[in-house]
Amino acid sequence: MKKILLLIPVLIFVISGCSKTEDLISPYHFSIIPKVTNLKVDAIDTTQTGKRRIVMSWEMPDTSNLRFFEIYRSQKNPDNFKIIVSNYKDYVFADSVLPAITDSLRLFYLVYPIGTKTDVRTGTKVSFIGPPSDTLIVTVKKLK
Amino acid sequence: MKKFILFVLIFYMFNISYAQNNLNYTYQVYQEFRSNKSKKELFEIPKFNPRRITGLTYSVFVPGSGQIYLGHQTKGAAFAVTFFTGLVGAIVSQNNFIGNKERLETLQFDYLNADRYTLADYYWKQMVDVYNEQKMHERARNIFTAATVFVWSLNLIDYIFWTDDKGPIEFSYKTDNNFGNIFSIAIPLN
């Protein structure tokens, strides 16, 4: 009978020893730096040297943690995006170094805001690449 | 997972009801025992002798084994099967729970060290998925543990109040000219 009585606290100990699911940490990545908004084409024109040029602009809802922008371009979506400019601090960008145009050219642009976050291990400020903007699709026709 | 838990619960019920409704002497003895006794008498603890104490010890550590020891094979087997099914379920769920916990710790480390939004978001979505999975395993573990404890307790209650001793297994003693004295055991196969 003593064995039964001993087994009851053992069972209670085993059951209570099973840990509960710990709550998730609060997400930080949503609040570090906001997404670039209102990315649009302002003009598709020609430079003084006769090259085709795309002028685009965008907005940022909050610039408190903004360091600069990185602009990416691709001829295919969503793959093969390549950086065309980094450390860019303005909100208007003119792309005049376009790939060769045979008849018409379709280009895709993305703008990434770059901010900072505190590194969890060292406690120092490190660079953080923010969320990409919506893809801007531009079609450029060759001048005749 | 819900379907699996439902299946296990039905399996429990089926096993217990099979043991209770099996048309063998256990059921008949139980019915006679029940019909001949009042409610007060039904919960009276039978007098304990060394055999019953041995059987009780068996039942405490391996549910159903005490009943088998006293001659109630079907009922004992049903208790053993349901208990170990629940126990295995609880252990597997706890194992998955620990696996998810470790995975979550790794993902959290990667998430906190991510240097870009897309990567952090990828880890975050995985963390949420693993967290939900972990909650599910926690629930399963708790249900299986509760069911196991319930079966264990039911087994003891059944043993103490409603399991009568059918007597020890008979031994026979025979003298053989070639082999000398032979002891044999008679195993009931009903």
Side-chain angles (χ1 to χ4, degrees):
Chain A
M1 206 65 183
K2 279 182 183 175
K3 286 177 183 173
I4 305 168
L5 293 173
L6 275 172
L7 207 71
I8 292 164
V10 168
L11 272 174
I12 293 166
F13 178 75
V14 168
I15 294 161
S16 61
C18 293
S19 57
K20 287 183 177 179
T21 307
E22 287 170 22
D23 286 336
L24 283 178
I25 54 167
S26 50
Y28 73 87
H29 67 291
F30 295 120
S31 54
I32 287 187
I33 191 159
K35 184 179 171 178
V36 166
T37 57
N38 203 20
L39 175 63
K40 62 181 190 298
V41 177
D42 287 342
I44 301 172
D45 53 15
T46 312
T47 62
Q48 288 178 344
T49 54
K51 288 178 180 176
R52 296 293 276 154
R53 183 174 70 173
I54 301 166
V55 182
M56 65 193 82
S57 67
W58 57 87
E59 291 166 12
M60 274 293 280
D62 180 16
T63 57
S64 56
N65 190 28
L66 179 69
R67 287 175 64 211
F68 56 85
F69 296 103
E70 282 182 352
I71 301 160
Y72 288 74
R73 187 180 66 196
S74 170
Q75 285 181 261
K76 285 179 183 174
N77 191 29
D79 302 324
N80 206 25
F81 273 94
K82 286 178 183 170
I83 190 163
I84 53 170
V85 64
S86 181
N87 206 13
Y88 194 77
K89 291 180 180 172
D90 207 350
Y91 293 83
V92 179
F93 174 70
D95 184 13
S96 57
V97 189
L98 301 181
I101 306 169
T102 50
D103 183 31
S104 70
L105 184 66
R106 204 166 195 214
L107 294 168
F108 303 88
Y109 289 93
L110 284 177
V111 179
Y112 284 83
I114 313 297
T116 54
K117 73 160 191 172
T118 309
D119 189 90
V120 286
R121 285 173 296 182
T122 59
T124 53
K125 291 269 181 188
V126 289
S127 188
F128 185 82
I129 303 169
S133 65
D134 294 332
T135 309
L136 176 70
I137 305 166
V138 187
T139 306
V140 188
K141 287 185 180 174
K142 190 178 182 181
L143 290 175
K144 290 179 182 175
Chain B
M1 194 61 198
K2 281 179 184 171
K3 283 178 185 174
F4 177 67
I5 293 164
L6 188 68
F7 171 77
V8 171
L9 286 174
I10 291 167
F11 183 70
Y12 278 147
M13 288 163 66
F14 176 76
N15 270 290
I16 292 167
S17 86
Y18 176 76
Q20 294 296 331
N21 294 306
N22 202 341
L23 292 173
N24 60 18
Y25 64 89
T26 308
Y27 181 64
Q28 288 162 10
V29 167
Y30 176 69
Q31 286 299 317
E32 283 168 21
F33 176 73
R34 241 184 122 175
S35 59
N36 295 335
K37 289 194 172 184
S38 65
K39 253 188 179 177
K40 198 181 170 187
E41 286 172 323
L42 198 64
F43 286 97
E44 270 180 8
I45 301 172
K47 200 175 179 183
F48 271 77
N49 54 34
R51 262 181 67 77
R52 284 192 68 84
I53 291 168
T54 309
L56 182 62
T57 314
Y58 287 167
S59 259
V60 166
F61 293 104
V62 182
S65 60
Q67 282 87 339
I68 293 170
Y69 180 71
L70 295 185
H72 300 263
Q73 283 86 357
T74 314
K75 190 164 67 175
F79 272 120
V81 166
T82 47
F83 175 81
F84 284 108
T85 306
L87 192 66
V88 167
I91 290 167
V92 168
S93 301
Q94 172 67 2
N95 190 43
N96 291 338
F97 177 85
I98 292 167
N100 282 128
K101 194 178 176 184
E102 287 169 358
R103 174 88 181 116
L104 209 55
E105 281 168 7
T106 312
L107 282 170
Q108 188 174 308
F109 180 81
D110 291 339
Y111 172 69
L112 291 172
N113 286 297
D115 65 343
R116 60 188 63 212
Y117 176 89
T118 45
L119 199 60
D121 198 50
Y122 169 76
Y123 287 133
W124 176 254
K125 281 172 183 165
Q126 282 203 27
M127 278 169 73
V128 171
D129 287 347
V130 174
Y131 174 78
N132 291 333
E133 214 173 284
Q134 196 186 10
K135 289 283 272 183
M136 189 185 73
H137 288 308
E138 187 194 346
R139 275 197 297 273
R141 181 198 66 193
N142 293 346
I143 290 167
F144 276 123
T145 309
T148 307
V149 171
F150 174 72
V151 172
W152 183 79
S153 312
L154 196 68
N155 147 72
L156 286 185
I157 291 166
D158 176 77
Y159 182 87
I160 292 166
F161 295 107
W162 303 315
T163 307
D164 56 329
D165 192 356
K166 285 185 171 296
I169 296 167
E170 288 175 9
F171 281 87
S172 69
Y173 177 74
K174 192 181 170 186
T175 308
D176 191 276
N177 291 332
N178 297 326
F179 300 104
N181 294 335
I182 295 172
F183 288 97
S184 65
I185 189 167
I187 302 168
L189 295 169
N190 52 336

